[in-house]
Amino acid sequence: MKRETILNAVMVLGLFIVPLWAWIADEPFIITLTTKAAILALAGVGLNIALGIGGLVSFGHAAFFGLGGYAMGILASHAQSYAPIMESPFLIEGTKSMPVIWLAAIITSGLAALAIGALSLRTTGVYFIMITLAFGQMLYFFTISWPAYGGEDGLPIYVRNGFPGVNTLDPIQFYGVVFVILMAALFFTARLIKSPFGLALNAARQSSERVETVGINPYRLRLMAFVISGMITGLAGALFADLNRFVSPTMFSWQISGEIMVFIIIGGVGRLFGPVVGAVLFILLEHILGGLSDYWHIYLGVLLLLIVLFARGGVIGTLAGREASHD
Amino acid sequence: MTDPVLEVRGITKAFGAVHASKNITLDLRPGEIHALIGPNGAGKSTLIKQISGGLRPDAGSVWLNGEDVTPLPTPLRARKGLGRTFQISALAMEDSVLQNAVLGALGAHASPFQFFTKALSQKDLRDRAEQALDRVGLSAHADTRTSELSHGQRRQLEVAVALTLSPTAFVMDEPMAGLGAEGSQTLTTFLDTLRHEAPILLVEHDMDAVFALADRISVLVYGEVIATGTVDDIRQNPKVREAYLGEEA
Amino acid sequence: MSFILFAEQVLNGLQLGVMLFVMAAGLTLVFGVMGLINLAHGSLYMVGAFAAAAVAGLTGSFVLALVAALAAAAAAGALVEMLVIRRLYNRDHLDQVLATFALILIFSEGTRWIFGSFPLFLNIPDYLSGPVTLPGGIQYPLYRLTLIAIGLAIAGGLFLLISRTRLGIQIRAGENDREMIAALGVDISKLYTIVFALGAALAGLAGALVGAIQSVQVGMGEPVLILAFVVIVIGGIGSIKGALIGAILVGLTDTLGGVLLPELFKTFMDNAAASSIGSALASMLIYILMACVLIVKPTGLFGART
């Protein structure tokens, strides 16, 4: 536990210092890269609640990532075109305010996770993996065919959304917002793990029967975990869309679902900072290896394979050893 | 006659052509240990599953404290006071002994939907957990990872978790399985005192323990209860002797 | 809509269905016998298509191209099984998903490295091109009819294999109790490699056959893979019969839905809106179908009873 805490502290420090240095050295590209890593890490923090703690292998979390992104896209595009989304029975106008957009993203993905989870959690094992994948695909194909928001070509958002008191166009300030959100999510997850909910969810992953015979319904636990998980990943989607000022159906793709899972595994599944380590490594690899070779995905594939086969605990597992069994 | 704490009436269950439970009726009275014995394949596990809630009977009912719990799923039966231990330990192996015990206390006495407090810091849960561990003798191992416990210690933990429910009845599935002579003796003595807290429906193969502990014994053969009675009744019952020993009288 | 148009769409649905079956059969066999979920199945489909395109380009013979597809996919399958897959049999599903996902990355980029990013072309041979006139005045491409025939033949062949041959008995026994057949002296390692290679060969063949009517490019396998998963989830994992019925259901639903739904919407909406809403909904149809099946039967139509 001690080693893991040190590692976590190093990560937080790194995520704080590197962009600051980049700002001082006037390297906005590095700030943007770190922002991307932090947002992807947030998506992973979301999935890790369902996957790492709950043991739910959701291969369709891109559904929530995309929904968050499109919540942003739809609200922002209506704002920038000054056309309301709906006039009757309620007047719903677009908005370019980040907090409102985030709320919309969280609520939308939460509701979707409730619906998808309620259905999917009635299945187990491979069926669960497949049905979550299928729901992601469903949204992907729907978004491609729906012409209103760009369809396959996607939807560009010309101006970054606003956050009160912050100049969001300034890379370091936008990063600041993202950093705070990521830390808040990590703090929330840390509390969750130690809470009665976390204890029960984690136990349900290890033995459903045990949890039932002490009087807890595992289905409800998992559904709640799935919804929380979907909401956090949805928030990440909205931030991602804001970073790129672009939303497209690829945010719903199974490749994205797979990639988010890959970060978590590389970092260490079930570990608090697993998604953070994984996302940072992924971005580093993409940047460094990608510069060397066009085919860097091969190396990513080999790395992933080696980790799955031989270093199951991921980077954190290898460096920090076995998890302590309690706080 | 005092009302039974746990009752099954006319439990019947068939899997296709296999009649696993044929009109089984038996009860568990306060303060008693009622042993359920029978050769392999008799349908003991199927019956246990129907009592604890994991399997729906085709016909018949299960009553706990005078209430019909047949339509209730396992978690609700546990909350109403049915404590269960498993033949093959069902414990959260990665968690510590204390965490498993706190889980038990949580399930029976609090809601799992609390997100911000620390589970191990909740006084009520922790007290119950520690008391249960103390009673089975596992206090010294509270922080040990469950996977590192010996087989006998895991059996103890199973009982401790059941204790945290403050149950009104225990259903124990072969608690002696895999224990050596000393472990069995310790557990036997423990169960003997436990019966006064809550009666125990004890499924067992270990005949020494059964004859030492049981107030009543029911013998299950091919899904049917062929006899119910005291230890002496059962020992002398010709049907039972036939079922276990073949033609020997 | 005219009868002829409708009949054509039904045939298209059937053709999509049988090709999905060929893909799904390998997937469900591997899961049923070895308990392994294999995301790299789509890559084997792609390998078959590329091998066929390459050989067809060199020799001009479609038959040789198909043989090459079978051989290359089977070889790739056997190799992957021996190097990677066999380490995964005792692992949990998450590990299998991740490891085979890694294989997808390796195969896709590897293929792109060898063949480049542009699609290859595989042409329908002359003797199979052109339309055929069917009863009722329907003109239907001969090639697609051939695919339907090949698909059904493969289905028949698989049923015979499973029910009549020694290998089939081992497969069926293996699906029920792995440890038992090992105890009975069956060489599990070899059995697993054969089953995996068989599944791979089928995927490769499907890739080559379909590659002639679509294009042969990197990443062609994954959309088909996902459809194949939907098929085996609907049909029940481990069941070949389920795979066939599921595949035909999916093929027909997808094809007919894509055509009929916009038409349905046109009856009360203007054309443009009807087309877009109709096709958007049609694209979701098979997933809705899968969700409905799973609500009623959480392990699929012919899957193991829980």
Side-chain angles (χ1 to χ4, degrees):
Chain A
M1 176 69 172
K2 270 221 167 123
R3 272 189 285 171
E4 187 177 343
T5 322
I6 294 176
L7 192 58
N8 295 351
V10 167
M11 289 306 301
V12 174
L13 225 56
L15 283 174
F16 190 74
I17 291 180
V18 168
L20 265 178
W21 164 81
W23 177 56
I24 294 172
D26 196 25
E27 299 261 14
F29 179 65
I30 298 207
I31 302 181
T32 308
L33 221 54
T34 322
T35 314
K36 187 172 175 194
I39 294 176
L40 290 176
L42 183 67
V45 167
L47 177 58
N48 208 17
I49 292 178
L51 177 63
I53 311 176
L56 308 173
V57 185
S58 165
F59 206 28
H61 250 59
F64 312 118
F65 194 66
L67 280 171
Y70 270 86
M72 178 293 215
I74 293 176
L75 284 169
S77 75
H78 276 273
Q80 77 188 7
S81 66
Y82 299 103
I85 297 175
M86 212 190 274
E87 269 171 9
S88 72
F90 309 106
L91 177 68
I92 303 183
E93 291 184 316
T95 175
K96 287 192 70 58
S97 159
M98 279 187 193
V100 178
I101 287 175
W102 295 341
L103 197 61
I106 290 176
I107 293 178
T108 318
S109 8
L111 288 173
L114 186 61
I116 294 177
L119 262 168
S120 311
L121 286 166
R122 301 172 87 234
T123 65
T124 55
V126 196
Y127 294 97
F128 178 77
I129 302 176
M130 286 308 111
I131 194 173
T132 50
L133 172 62
F135 276 113
Q137 286 300 98
M138 195 168 16
L139 286 171
Y140 173 68
F141 284 117
F142 180 81
T143 321
I144 285 185
S145 326
W146 188 259
Y149 297 103
E152 200 167 350
D153 298 327
L155 188 65
I157 301 297
Y158 302 112
V159 184
R160 185 159 289 160
N161 295 310
F163 189 88
V166 171
N167 175 12
T168 54
L169 273 173
D170 182 5
I172 192 70
Q173 292 190 55
F174 183 61
Y175 177 74
V177 172
V178 170
F179 180 76
V180 168
I181 294 179
L182 178 61
M183 290 301 123
L186 283 166
F187 178 72
F188 172 74
T189 307
R191 293 301 291 254
L192 191 84
I193 292 176
K194 299 211 175 102
S195 72
F197 179 74
L199 177 67
L201 180 66
N202 197 19
R205 172 176 60 83
Q206 298 168 65
S207 173
S208 253
E209 255 188 326
R210 167 51 53 195
V211 159
E212 282 184 326
T213 49
V214 299
I216 299 175
N217 183 341
Y219 174 81
R220 283 205 211 136
L221 282 176
R222 292 177 177 142
L223 185 56
M224 177 64 83
F226 198 74
V227 169
I228 296 176
S229 161
M231 294 197 291
I232 296 180
T233 305
L235 178 59
L239 288 169
F240 192 74
D242 232 327
L243 176 68
N244 298 316
R245 281 181 266 165
F246 182 69
V247 201
S248 82
T250 35
M251 285 182 78
F252 286 110
S253 68
W254 67 273
Q255 286 98 330
I256 294 284
S257 290
E259 271 174 21
I260 304 178
M261 238 195 260
V262 168
F263 310 148
I264 297 180
I265 275 32
I266 292 182
V269 62
R271 305 283 188 149
L272 183 63
F273 271 74
V276 180
V277 171
V280 167
L281 261 169
F282 180 81
I283 296 292
L284 276 173
L285 282 173
E286 184 180 54
H287 191 58
I288 298 176
L289 286 181
L292 293 173
S293 158
D294 225 3
Y295 306 104
W296 73 281
H297 269 120
I298 296 188
Y299 303 114
L300 179 66
V302 172
L303 172 67
L304 178 61
L305 199 54
L306 290 174
I307 289 185
V308 173
L309 290 179
F310 304 117
R312 192 57 181 70
V315 169
I316 297 185
T318 311
L319 290 179
R322 215 187 215 186
E323 254 173 305
S325 56
H326 66 104
D327 76 277
Chain B
M1 177 150 96
T2 43
D3 289 328
V5 171
L6 177 65
E7 249 189 291
V8 295
R9 300 180 193 164
I11 290 289
T12 308
K13 182 78 186 172
F15 297 106
V18 178
H19 293 270
S21 306
K22 295 181 204 157
N23 204 13
I24 299 178
T25 295
L26 50 83
D27 63 16
L28 184 65
R29 299 187 198 131
E32 80 165 332
I33 292 185
H34 188 151
L36 187 63
I37 65 175
N40 278 324
K44 300 193 290 293
S45 325
T46 311
L47 179 62
I48 296 298
K49 274 200 194 136
Q50 292 175 87
I51 295 176
S52 69
L55 197 59
R56 269 278 170 94
D58 295 334
S61 53
V62 179
W63 296 76
L64 184 62
N65 297 317
E67 194 187 331
D68 185 359
V69 295
T70 326
L72 298 183
T74 311
L76 288 177
R77 296 189 199 192
R79 287 209 153 216
K80 288 197 183 281
L82 188 62
R84 163 104 191 259
T85 70
F86 290 85
Q87 180 186 357
I88 301 173
S89 295
L91 297 164
M93 289 303 199
E94 296 167 23
D95 290 350
S96 70
V97 166
L98 184 60
Q99 280 176 311
N100 270 288
V102 169
L103 179 71
L106 174 67
H109 304 286
S111 162
F113 290 101
Q114 300 171 63
F115 305 95
F116 296 104
T117 55
K118 278 194 188 173
L120 292 183
S121 302
Q122 286 199 18
K123 194 169 186 319
D124 181 45
L125 299 181
R126 189 150 182 153
D127 284 346
R128 283 182 197 271
E130 285 175 342
Q131 266 168 37
L133 289 180
D134 200 35
R135 290 186 60 184
V136 302
L138 277 179
S139 295
H141 297 277
D143 293 337
T144 313
R145 202 181 168 103
T146 307
S147 55
E148 287 165 21
L149 290 180
S150 71
H151 180 77
Q153 289 168 321
R154 286 187 210 165
R155 291 341 228 121
Q156 286 171 287
L157 183 54
E158 284 257 345
V159 176
V161 175
L163 277 174
T164 59
L165 303 183
S166 303
T168 53
F170 284 101
V171 173
M172 295 200 177
D173 197 350
E174 297 192 42
M176 310 281 172
L179 289 181
E182 199 187 310
S184 296
Q185 185 52 47
T186 320
L187 190 54
T188 303
T189 321
F190 184 78
L191 293 180
D192 210 8
T193 50
L194 193 58
R195 76 170 83 207
H196 301 296
E197 213 168 297
I200 305 174
L201 180 64
L202 179 69
V203 175
E204 249 314 328
H205 270 303
D206 180 342
M207 286 308 161
D208 291 334
V210 169
F211 291 144
L213 288 171
D215 296 302
R216 285 190 294 164
I217 300 178
S218 286
V219 184
L220 197 65
V221 179
Y222 291 129
E224 261 185 291
V225 174
I226 61 170
T228 300
T230 62
V231 173
D232 288 324
D233 292 342
I234 294 298
R235 263 193 169 134
Q236 286 149 22
N237 186 308
K239 279 194 282 181
V240 174
R241 297 173 80 90
E242 193 188 321
Y244 269 100
L245 303 170
E247 289 304 322
E248 267 183 68
Chain C
M1 177 199 283
S2 69
F3 166 73
I4 290 184
L5 211 59
F6 184 76
E8 267 176 24
Q9 293 307 325
V10 169
L11 284 171
N12 280 345
L14 216 55
Q15 180 253 294
L16 173 60
V18 294
M19 284 297 109
L20 274 179
F21 164 72
V22 175
M23 190 66 175
L27 210 52
T28 207
L29 258 183
V30 166
F31 193 84
V33 177
M34 289 104 90
L36 179 104
I37 166 174
N38 175 24
L39 293 185
H41 202 64
S43 301
L44 296 164
Y45 174 91
M46 178 185 70
V47 164
F50 271 87
V55 168
L58 285 173
T59 67
S61 159
F62 191 70
V63 174
L64 272 183
L66 289 183
V67 170
L70 281 166
L79 191 64
V80 156
E81 197 275 342
M82 291 190 286
L83 286 178
V84 176
I85 303 287
R86 64 176 47 172
R87 296 172 205 268
L88 299 171
Y89 294 134
N90 292 322
R91 304 283 213 107
D92 61 31
H93 290 316
L94 175 60
D95 288 359
Q96 293 173 358
V97 162
L98 290 163
T100 51
F101 181 81
L103 286 175
I104 296 180
L105 292 173
I106 297 173
F107 267 110
S108 292
E109 291 300 291
T111 309
R112 204 161 68 89
W113 183 53
I114 300 175
F115 289 96
S117 298
F118 291 100
L120 291 187
F121 291 102
L122 180 61
N123 295 313
I124 303 175
D126 291 333
Y127 51 88
L128 284 179
S129 60
V132 154
T133 316
L134 296 173
I138 308 165
Q139 297 266 68
Y140 198 66
L142 174 59
Y143 187 69
R144 287 184 185 248
L145 269 178
T146 320
L147 290 191
I148 296 179
I150 294 179
L152 291 173
I154 292 179
L158 274 175
F159 278 118
L160 280 176
L161 177 78
I162 301 283
S163 54
R164 298 283 165 84
T165 67
R166 201 110 172 262
L167 179 63
I169 293 177
Q170 291 179 353
I171 288 176
R172 272 182 294 149
E175 278 180 348
N176 284 314
D177 195 330
R178 261 162 247 151
E179 280 158 23
M180 197 52 186
I181 58 169
L184 290 174
V186 173
D187 185 343
I188 296 287
S189 279
K190 211 167 74 171
L191 176 66
Y192 286 4
T193 310
I194 291 177
V195 171
F196 197 84
L198 173 63
L202 287 174
L205 179 64
L209 290 173
V210 174
I213 45 179
Q214 295 174 358
S215 59
V216 174
Q217 58 191 16
V218 170
M220 65 189 286
E222 279 65 59
V224 186
L225 173 74
I226 294 177
L227 283 180
F229 275 127
V230 173
V231 164
I232 66 176
V233 165
I234 290 179
I237 296 182
S239 163
I240 300 267
K241 183 167 72 171
L244 183 59
I245 295 183
I248 294 187
L249 254 174
V250 168
L252 286 172
T253 308
D254 195 46
T255 312
L256 290 176
V259 169
L260 291 177
L261 263 180
E263 294 293 310
L264 174 67
F265 281 104
K266 277 184 187 150
T267 60
F268 55 90
M269 259 185 223
D270 67 87
N271 274 358
S275 283
S276 59
I277 297 180
S279 36
L281 276 177
S283 64
M284 301 201 307
L285 212 53
I286 50 169
Y287 302 104
I288 297 177
L289 173 67
M290 182 188 73
C292 291
V293 169
L294 283 180
I295 293 177
V296 177
K297 292 203 127 213
T299 52
L301 295 172
F302 298 97
R305 263 154 276 128
T306 32

